[in-house]
Amino acid sequence: MIGKMLGRKKLLTAVLITVAVLYFVFGHYNVSATKPHPSIVSMVFHSITERSIQRNSVNITVPYDIDDEDMYVKGFREYEKMCVQCHGAPGIEPSPIGQGLFPVPPKFPEEELYEYSLKDIFWVTKNGVKMTGMPAYGPTHEDKTIWAIAIFLDRSRNLSEAEYKELRDRYPGRHN
């Protein structure tokens, strides 16, 4: 009796796996960036992403003084060049490119940023995140530049629209 039940469970499992594989192989899963994943898929992807970031960033050592004003300003300037298009800023909406990404990039400095430590932000900026549109800047930028961005974001978690505008006025440059 027990052997028969185990055999049926194995057969059912094999059939379900086969159906799932065929569903994906024959293109029935819609990968359009305009159609959200089912909630279970989003939950699984988000959980995998969060755990991976935390695991990979845990042993990183912060090599710079996070209160260094020059690093903060450098981070602001680099954020303006590389990040604001997708993540926006206080009082600044993401560009059409950022608005068209799926999943939607975290808006700076909204609550989603609070999930990440300084080391997490560095790791994500350096390594990117698969299937999110977040590029890896490590191959094209020095660690010091990436640390500057991470320090800017970490210190700017509660930055107001007026404070961001003041930074733009004080350090003019390329604004998107």
Side-chain angles (χ1 to χ4, degrees), residues 115-130:
E115 293 178 24
Y116 300 103
S117 70
L118 171 62
K119 295 188 295 186
D120 293 342
I121 296 168
F122 171 79
W123 189 89
V124 167
T125 307
K126 181 173 181 165
N127 296 286
V129 180
K130 292 177 183 177

Side-chain angles (χ1 to χ4, degrees), residues 87-126:
H87 295 281
I92 300 168
E93 288 300 313
S95 74
I97 292 170
Q99 292 174 22
L101 290 173
F102 182 81
V104 176
K107 177 104 169 42
F108 165 64
E110 292 177 3
E111 260 185 60
E112 291 165 345
L113 181 61
Y114 298 132
E115 293 178 24
Y116 300 103
S117 70
L118 171 62
K119 295 188 295 186
D120 293 342
I121 296 168
F122 171 79
W123 189 89
V124 167
T125 307
K126 181 173 181 165

Side-chain angles (χ1 to χ4, degrees), residues 45 68 86-88 101 105 108 113 139-140 146 148-149 161 173-174:
F45 283 164
D68 181 334
C86 295
H87 295 281
L101 290 173
F108 165 64
L113 181 61
T140 57
I146 297 169
I149 294 167
E161 186 175 333
R174 180 180 156 217

Side-chain angles (χ1 to χ4, degrees), residues 151-164:
I151 288 168
F152 168 71
L153 288 171
D154 188 61
R155 284 184 47 194
S156 298
R157 293 175 190 267
N158 296 309
L159 198 66
S160 71
E161 186 175 333
E163 291 167 323
Y164 196 82

